[in-house]
Structures are given as C-alpha cells and as structure tokens.
Amino acid sequence: MQPAPEHTESELLQFRRNKLEEMQKRGIAAFGGKFDVTHAPGALKADFVEGIDVRVAGRILSRRQMGKATFFDIGDISGRIQCYLSKGDVGDEGYALFIEQIDIGDFVSLSGQTFVTKKGERSIHVKEFAPQSKALRPLPDKWHGVTDREIKYRQRYLDLISNDRSREVFVTRSKMVAEIRNFLQQRDFLEVETPMMQDVPGGAAARPFETHFNALDQKMYLRIAPELYLKRLLVGGFTKVFELNRNFRNEGVSRRHNPEFTMLEAYWAFSDFEQMADLVESMVCHLAEKFCGGLVIEHKDEEGNVTKTIDLSRPWKRTPYRDLVKGAAGEDWFALSKEAKVERAQSLGVQEIHAGDEHYELDQKIFEKLVEEKSFNPLFVTHVPKELVPLAKQNTTDDSVVDVYELVINGQEISPGYSELNDPIVQRERLEHQAGEEIQKIDEDFILALEHGMPPAGGIGIGIDRLIMMLTGAESIRDVVLFPQLKRKAD
C-alpha cells in the first residue's frame, strides 16, 4: 500500500480557502464577534469543577475523530483543555460543519458542561459551538513546534502557539515586572515617566538613534537612559523615584544585546551605593523565591539537561574592582607600564588590546574577559575607576575610584549602582571629559538643575531583559524579548 502523498503548502492554503468559501456560501460567519466567556481553557482545567456549565473560546490545537464523536483540545495563553463533541448533541448539520469545515488552528467558541472521562481527563462536553476565526494557514508541527530560530523570532505568534516553554517565559516576565513595581511601591518609591525623545542624549556613553521633531524643526534623539531626568526630580524634591523604561542604543545586536531594551532605574535621596546594593539583592532574591521556587537557578538545554547552576543565596559577595583585576592578571598589574600590560593581557588570552589604550581601558578589558565573563554567582564589584563612571560620587579616601557597584551574575552585568554625584562643578568636568572622548554634547539644562542643589542619593539601573534571562534560564536576549530587532528580509 502506497503512503498518501504529502500536500504542498500552496495546496494546503487552497484547501482552507475552499472551506472558507463553502462556509460563506452556506451563510456561516467564519469570522465571529463578541462571545461572553466564563473561563479560560487553562484556568478551567487547573481549577476544575465537575458538572458546571461553561462558555469557552480559543484555538483548536488538536483533534481526534471517532466515528460520530470527536475529541479536540482548545487553548490559549492560559493552557488547553480537552473537549468532547458528538453528532447527537450538535445534530447532523452541526457535526458535518465541524468535521468538514473546521481545521486545527481555527478559533471557535463553545458552551457545554464539564466532566471527567473514564481515563480521568478533565474535559468539556460540548453542547453548542460556533466558528470565530478561520485560520487560512496551518499551524507548526504539533510535535516539534517552531524549531527554526528565524521563524521563531520573526513570527513570534507561531512560537507562542506551539512552544509551551516560550509562553511560560513571557507570562513569567510579565508577572516579574509587575512584582518589581509592587516591590518598590511597597517601599514608597514613586513611579514616574520621563521623555523618550530628548534634545541631548545623556545618562550613558552610547550612540543614540536620531530623529527629527517636525513641529519644533529640530533634531531629537531616542533616549539612551532616563537618568538625568530622574535626577532633576530629586532636585525638585522627590525622594524616591523609579521608572521602568524603554531605552534605545544604536549599537550592536548579539546574544546579550538588543538595541531596544527595558531598564529599571531608581533613585533614593540621602542613600548611597551600599544601600542600593542591599535593595537590589533583596529584590532579585524575592523574585527568585516567588517565581523560580528558590534561590538556586538551573539553566537547562533543549533536552532538559542542566548546563549551569546559579546560586543566589545571601549574602552576595562584594569585592573591590582592583582586587578582582589583580586576582586575574597578577598582583603587580597596576604597577606595570602600558606596554607591559598589553603584553600580559595578550598572554592571558585577552583580545582587542591596543597599544593606544589608556591604563583604565586595559584594566577594564582584563575585568570583562577574565572576571565578568567567568562570574556566574552574584558578585558586587565595588569602587570602580572614576574614568568608567562619570556620574558617580568620588570616594573620600581614594580619589581614583568612585563609590559604585556593578552587579555581575551569569557572566554579565545585571545592574550598576552609584552614590550619585551631586557637585555641579565636578559633574561638568566629568561630562566635558566624556564629551571630548565621545563627541557628545553636554546637557547644560542638567548642570543648571544641579546648580539649584540635588541631595546626596543612591541610584540603580537594572537591565530587565538580562535579569529575566538569568532567572528563566534563557541563553539569548531574543528569547525574553517578544519581538526582537531583526534585519529586514530581502524582497
């Protein structure tokens, strides 16, 4: 016996269009309207009560015909539940419609009563159903889902339909972000909004996206950070503020970088970087305990094998930057000439080293390659060279460093935190030095604000995308961003 021939994609599309035309000829609405649901499919199954009347809507995800009866699964982002449909309940015409015109992937609405099958499966006994949206294209293979990463990121909706893990990550992300808001608001932080278009991009050393404000006839920039506007609020008398914001940096795209990303920034008047570190440590551990089942986070591959374990148990390690660099490059590192540093760095396998690099740039390359990339459990890197952080307060006992932490987890920076610089004279000097290197305009309005007096403060930034990666075990930032930036497909 010869196997049935496989249909081409164009044939499958035509089959579904033919079914749509047949429904329209019969006066059946293939694209429905309002339907009052009583339960979401997954929630109904999770909190199941037998023998109640229900009204449910969703997408048909599978079906199994058994003569005059059919079992099918209906689902949405909440999950799925099995349904039982028989000719005796919906009549010959209704059953023929379901068998002949309704496909896997179609949206339907139904009403019926909950029951448990002989095999113990929680189900709905369907009494009535109606088409709600005809799917003119088939779903991905039910066993393998979307395995092509190009399709996964470009057509995220297909990934969400077919991959339970992807749905779980994005539902968890939403709940974590809501809990971050709750965590800060319970501690009297006020959520605010600051401009996403700025005439002077500031708060970080990064290349901005440019645009043009027609009404004002001037060049504008998508923000690279909200920091300078949030500090203006401290000048205005606010004492605890935060913003969950979208930032834009016109730079590289990689496994850990997306040009459009989500950042939490928070500022606390009369605080410092140590207190902000305590706040971040407490918040991240709270998220892990609430959503990850504890402080030990396991990262797994697609086969479910554990590839990495991150232990968030408190207290988190806090170590000065220079001690970490010495531990990686040698106790005498900071006494070496630039030429000797270049030679040693190359011998340690640190690439992208240049003879023209400043001392602090060579130090940072050692740190990034030999410390940051190898640190998976939480590490607060403290007292960073002042050249790296122009917006932080200088240490009172060592004027070569600033009172800063950089939190490293999972081999990447998750959060910086500062004792914020509030001296307008020193701030101008720092920004002028940075502007000279980056060809970046100084935000004179921010300096003006500082001259009116800003209280001492602690500040933090947390890369939400990277935090979610760490907590969910995702290995690419694209797996925690619903619609990551991709190069336009060729025509």
Side-chain angles (χ1 to χ4, degrees):
M1 182 178 178
Q2 295 294 323
E6 294 187 2
H7 296 292
T8 65
E9 181 180 10
S10 60
E11 289 175 333
L12 292 173
L13 295 178
Q14 190 57 52
F15 290 156
R16 293 195 174 219
R17 287 185 179 274
N18 292 342
K19 291 181 180 182
L20 172 62
E21 291 174 3
E22 181 61 28
M23 294 172 72
Q24 292 171 335
K25 288 178 182 177
R26 295 169 57 183
I28 298 169
F31 301 96
K34 181 176 180 292
F35 180 78
D36 293 323
V37 302
T38 60
H39 299 79
L44 176 60
K45 185 174 183 178
D47 301 318
F48 191 79
V49 178
E50 188 174 5
I52 62 171
D53 293 330
V54 296
R55 291 166 59 84
V56 177
R59 188 189 294 274
I60 296 178
L61 300 174
S62 66
R63 59 191 292 173
R64 304 165 296 284
Q65 186 177 351
M66 304 171 65
K68 296 182 180 181
T70 296
F71 285 93
F72 64 95
D73 284 4
I74 188 173
D76 60 14
I77 196 69
S78 70
R80 61 169 69 192
I81 190 168
Q82 178 176 271
C83 301
Y84 170 78
L85 178 81
S86 73
K87 183 182 291 189
D89 290 310
V90 299
D92 292 347
E93 186 175 341
Y95 193 69
L97 170 65
F98 190 87
I99 296 302
E100 296 172 8
Q101 313 302 333
I102 303 298
D103 291 301
I104 292 175
D106 290 2
F107 278 89
V108 298
S109 58
L110 57 88
S111 60
Q113 192 172 75
T114 56
F115 78 108
V116 179
T117 67
K118 293 180 180 179
K119 294 184 177 180
E121 182 71 20
R122 298 174 177 184
S123 306
I124 302 172
H125 190 150
V126 179
K127 302 299 183 180
E128 296 179 347
F129 80 92
Q132 290 294 342
S133 183
K134 183 66 183 171
L136 299 181
R137 291 180 179 269
L139 297 182
D141 182 271
K142 67 177 180 178
W143 300 114
H144 302 292
V146 175
T147 56
D148 186 311
R149 289 195 174 274
E150 176 77 7
I151 295 176
K152 179 177 181 177
Y153 300 138
R154 221 174 266 285
Q155 295 177 270
R156 178 66 81 183
Y157 47 89
L158 296 180
D159 177 45
L160 296 174
I161 291 169
S162 61
N163 293 336
D164 293 342
R165 174 60 181 157
S166 289
R167 288 197 300 273
E168 291 169 4
V169 165
F170 288 110
V171 169
T172 299
R173 176 186 173 120
S174 178
K175 292 179 179 179
M176 284 184 177
V177 170
E179 188 59 28
I180 288 171
R181 282 192 166 94
N182 180 57
F183 181 91
L184 291 170
Q185 288 167 346
Q186 286 184 343
R187 288 157 178 78
D188 298 324
F189 281 82
L190 182 70
E191 183 171 13
V192 297
E193 294 179 335
T194 62
M196 294 179 69
M197 284 197 303
Q198 304 175 355
D199 63 341
V200 180
R207 183 181 297 277
F209 286 91
E210 298 181 4
T211 186
H212 188 81
F213 199 140
N214 289 336
L216 300 179
D217 191 25
Q218 68 183 38
K219 182 186 291 186
M220 299 289 283
Y221 304 88
L222 295 182
R223 70 176 170 204
I224 56 178
E227 178 170 345
L228 303 189
Y229 281 90
L230 291 172
K231 288 181 176 178
R232 287 170 167 88
L233 298 180
L234 296 183
V235 173
F238 286 50
T239 56
K240 289 183 175 182
V241 294
F242 78 94
E243 183 172 9
L244 274 161
N245 58 78
R246 303 292 282 179
N247 290 340
F248 307 84
R249 298 182 183 178
N250 197 359
E251 297 172 344
V253 177
S254 71
R255 187 170 61 87
R256 295 180 173 183
H257 296 87
N258 195 57
E260 177 183 0
F261 61 97
T262 304
M263 176 73 78
L264 165 70
E265 288 206 14
Y267 294 87
W268 183 353
F270 305 105
S271 179
D272 67 359
F273 81 105
E274 296 277 10
Q275 195 167 11
M276 301 308 286
D278 293 339
L279 180 73
V280 169
E281 183 174 330
S282 177
M283 182 173 68
V284 173
C285 288
H286 172 71
L287 293 174
E289 290 174 328
K290 185 175 180 68
F291 297 104
C292 306
L295 297 178
V296 177
I297 311 296
E298 291 184 342
H299 288 205
K300 300 178 181 179
D301 60 22
E302 294 181 355
E303 285 70 43
N305 302 310
V306 176
T307 59
K308 186 192 311 175
T309 299
I310 298 171
D311 189 349
L312 301 178
S313 299
R314 306 177 72 181
W316 292 357
K317 185 178 179 180
R318 303 186 185 194
T319 308
Y321 177 92
R322 284 179 176 169
D323 290 350
L324 293 166
V325 173
K326 285 180 182 179
E331 284 294 323
D332 62 342
W333 172 264
F334 289 98
L336 297 177
S337 66
K338 285 200 293 185
E339 293 74 15
K341 282 185 174 182
V342 169
E343 184 177 346
R344 183 173 296 179
Q346 291 173 338
S347 72
L348 293 170
V350 180
Q351 305 302 318
E352 300 299 322
I353 295 292
H354 307 291
D357 287 340
E358 297 293 335
H359 277 280
Y360 73 88
E361 293 173 315
L362 294 168
D363 301 343
Q364 181 65 6
K365 289 176 180 179
I366 287 289
F367 170 76
E368 289 174 349
K369 187 68 177 179
L370 302 182
V371 179
E372 184 176 75
E373 290 185 11
K374 299 180 184 300
S375 298
F376 295 99
N377 292 336
L379 170 63
F380 283 113
V381 181
T382 66
H383 301 99
V384 174
K386 64 182 181 182
E387 294 88 351
L388 298 175
V389 190
L391 295 169
K393 186 181 288 289
Q394 196 162 298
N395 185 266
T396 55
T397 59
D398 181 353
D399 62 7
S400 69
V401 300
V402 286
D403 287 340
V404 162
Y405 77 73
E406 291 184 1
L407 174 59
V408 178
I409 315 178
N410 193 28
Q412 58 187 342
E413 184 186 77
I414 297 293
S415 166
Y418 306 169
S419 293
E420 301 295 339
L421 178 58
N422 61 336
D423 181 333
I425 298 173
V426 176
Q427 182 65 88
R428 176 179 289 281
E429 292 172 355
R430 296 264 194 93
L431 290 177
E432 285 176 347
H433 178 72
Q434 183 187 64
E437 292 181 344
E438 305 293 337
I439 317 177
Q440 188 170 331
K441 186 179 178 182
I442 295 174
D443 189 336
E444 292 290 347
D445 184 70
F446 173 63
I447 299 296
L448 177 65
L450 284 188
E451 290 175 348
H452 286 83
M454 187 186 94
I460 59 169
I462 298 181
I464 297 299
D465 304 322
R466 289 185 176 183
L467 177 64
I468 302 298
M469 284 175 64
M470 185 272 292
L471 291 172
T472 63
E475 291 304 311
S476 171
I477 198 169
R478 292 180 174 183
D479 292 326
V480 299
V481 175
L482 277 169
F483 300 102
Q485 297 293 336
L486 300 170
K487 189 173 183 178
R488 182 184 300 149
K489 293 180 70 174
D491 295 332

